[in-house]
Amino acid sequence: MKKKILLLGFSSALLSPLASANNQFQVFTHFDAEIYTEAQPVQAFVDDFDAPLTSGDSAFTYNIFEVGVGYGNFKVGLQSRFDYVLNFDPDTAKYTHTEKNDLAFEDRYYTYFLDAKQATSNGVFVSYDFKFLDKNALTITPKLSVFASTHFQDGIVDGRIYSDEVEGDISVDYNYSKDILFKKFTPSENPEGLGYSLDIFADWQVNDELHVGFSVKDLLYKTDYEDSGFVDGQTTEIPFSQNDNGDIITQPTVSLKTSSFGNTQSHDFDMKMRMQAFADYRINDRFSTQLTLKRYDQDTFSQLKGRVHFWDHWKVQAGYETKSKAYLVGIESKYFGLNLQTDSLDLDKAYYANINWYMNIKF
């Protein structure tokens, strides 16, 4: 049923623009992959957490591939996404690093906090450019995506652990398609999810020199999963007790509801909103500069880049971004663009990496 809904939605969106007035037709594709980690470089964060520990409390990756067609102010197409967002307490990173590298624990309670969201989805999208002001200087574009998903993680783990002892207390609110935390309660079949997201883009050509813009991605985002795996409850570790023989023992108290024995449930999944704003200033025919600010959850990045324009609509650019400490190089035109950004060409030392490319063919 859900596949039929998606197919019907895409077919309707594809046919609607053809009824508009004669305008330019275009075929386009776009790919953007961005990853940022704190506490560990990307490679170590994903694998063994074995690099020297640095400060930080977040990590994310946003990846999207789109291909579509445009006619007039309409655009429609196919979309594939993989998104992952993690917030953690710095003490949790220290505990994890100590444990994975067989280092000495401090004799104290470690705060243990993880808030993770991850989803893989495939679907369709439609957008429309609303034009305002003289010479259509202001464009506001809502973009609606509808997608299906069978792979996700959505969990909060909060509590404390004493040193390397079986002692502490942890609360868990965890929904998933695959149990990667306890590795015991994965459902026999992947849950089925149907969702949507709404993005808003705004561009204003203030004058010949100044161009400003603003975007909100995932302003609205929701996926309803059916037959989701889950773990909900708490564990309390009692450090010392005594049996009838006078022996000292430890015994955990566990109170968890799980999806074992087919006990799945429905789950509403949301994704965190991302905002970005830019101001582009054309210095002269040859040079321009742009300041970009972006806010992803609790992380704010600012980027300054300069461009050299040549030929008809081509430009090469270079820039630097604070917080990620990443350098950008790229080339763009109305028809093709490729940008690469990282803080290190050595992947074992990189905390940030972004590749972005697009193609746009007009008829």
Side-chain angles (χ1 to χ4, degrees):
M1 181 63 181
K2 292 179 179 178
K3 292 182 179 179
K4 292 181 179 179
I5 294 175
L6 287 174
L7 182 59
L8 178 61
F10 178 63
S11 301
S12 300
L14 186 62
L15 293 174
S16 297
L18 300 180
S20 63
N22 291 329
N23 283 301
Q24 194 171 47
F25 179 80
Q26 59 180 304
V27 177
F28 61 89
T29 182
H30 167 246
F31 173 75
D32 186 74
E34 182 178 19
I35 184 168
Y36 174 68
T37 59
E38 296 180 346
Q40 292 279 278
V42 172
Q43 191 67 40
F45 195 97
V46 174
D47 292 335
D48 299 321
F49 222 78
D50 56 353
L53 188 67
T54 57
S55 61
D57 58 7
S58 64
F60 64 76
T61 181
Y62 295 103
N63 307 269
I64 185 168
F65 173 75
E66 294 180 334
V67 59
V69 297
Y71 194 82
N73 293 346
F74 280 96
K75 288 186 178 70
V76 296
L78 303 174
Q79 178 188 94
S80 181
R81 287 181 56 169
F82 172 76
D83 305 305
Y84 171 81
V85 185
L86 174 66
N87 293 316
F88 53 89
D89 191 277
D91 217 23
T92 307
K94 187 171 185 178
Y95 182 91
T96 303
H97 186 261
T98 301
E99 180 185 43
K100 285 185 172 292
N101 294 279
D102 295 323
L103 302 176
F105 283 88
E106 301 174 31
D107 291 329
R108 66 176 179 88
Y109 279 101
Y110 288 80
T111 300
Y112 202 89
F113 174 80
L114 297 171
D115 182 358
K117 290 180 177 291
Q118 177 264 314
T120 302
S121 62
N122 297 284
V124 299
F125 68 89
V126 59
S127 69
Y128 185 83
D129 297 333
F130 292 92
K131 303 288 186 177
F132 302 94
L133 303 182
D134 186 32
K135 298 180 181 179
N136 294 326
L138 175 63
T139 302
I140 297 178
T141 306
K143 175 184 176 184
L144 177 66
S145 302
V146 180
F147 45 79
S149 174
T150 58
H151 300 281
F152 83 102
Q153 300 281 320
D154 189 9
I156 296 178
V157 180
D158 190 11
R160 61 179 189 164
I161 301 176
Y162 187 83
S163 187
D164 60 345
E165 302 293 333
V166 185
E167 180 180 347
D169 53 270
I170 297 288
S171 63
V172 180
D173 183 4
Y174 179 36
N175 290 266
Y176 49 83
S177 56
K178 180 180 180 180
D179 181 10
I180 62 175
L181 184 61
F182 297 93
K183 298 179 174 58
K184 294 181 178 179
F185 309 115
T186 298
S188 58
E189 296 183 2
N190 285 336
E192 294 185 357
L194 185 63
Y196 64 85
S197 68
L198 176 65
D199 304 333
I200 300 291
F201 304 89
D203 288 278
W204 181 23
Q205 188 70 51
V206 181
N207 51 45
D208 291 340
E209 293 80 26
L210 182 61
H211 176 208
V212 297
F214 183 77
S215 68
V216 183
K217 296 180 180 179
D218 295 332
L219 174 63
L220 299 175
Y221 184 110
K222 183 179 179 182
T223 306
D224 295 323
Y225 287 97
E226 298 176 0
D227 298 321
S228 164
F230 73 94
V231 176
D232 184 19
Q234 64 182 8
T235 66
T236 302
E237 309 295 351
I238 304 174
F240 301 108
S241 61
Q242 190 172 4
N243 62 18
D244 294 337
N245 298 324
D247 299 324
I248 300 297
I249 60 173
T250 61
Q251 181 178 355
T253 300
V254 180
S255 177
L256 294 176
K257 296 180 180 179
T258 75
S259 53
S260 56
F261 305 108
N263 186 32
T264 57
Q265 64 180 16
S266 60
H267 178 66
D268 291 338
F269 178 87
D270 60 7
M271 186 61 72
K272 299 177 185 295
M273 179 175 62
R274 291 169 285 156
M275 296 181 291
Q276 182 171 311
F278 73 86
D280 190 322
Y281 185 74
R282 187 67 179 259
I283 301 172
N284 52 41
D285 290 342
R286 180 58 62 90
F287 301 104
S288 67
T289 185
Q290 184 181 94
L291 174 65
T292 302
L293 301 175
K294 61 184 183 183
R295 178 73 176 179
Y296 292 178
D297 192 19
Q298 60 186 17
D299 295 312
T300 300
F301 303 82
S302 59
Q303 180 193 88
L304 182 65
K305 60 185 176 184
R307 301 191 185 98
V308 179
H309 298 255
F310 61 99
W311 290 347
D312 187 11
H313 296 287
W314 288 85
K315 55 198 173 189
V316 292
Q317 58 187 4
Y320 178 78
E321 186 176 79
T322 63
K323 190 172 180 66
S324 68
K325 300 179 181 179
Y327 292 91
L328 165 76
V329 293
I331 183 170
E332 293 183 344
S333 74
K334 293 193 302 184
Y335 315 105
F336 172 79
L338 174 63
N339 292 284
L340 304 173
Q341 186 175 356
T342 184
D343 60 321
S344 176
L345 295 177
D346 185 347
L347 296 181
D348 290 334
K349 298 180 180 179
Y351 290 78
Y352 178 93
N354 176 223
I355 178 171
N356 175 287
W357 63 263
Y358 64 87
M359 292 185 66
N360 186 17
I361 304 172
K362 296 185 177 182
F363 301 92

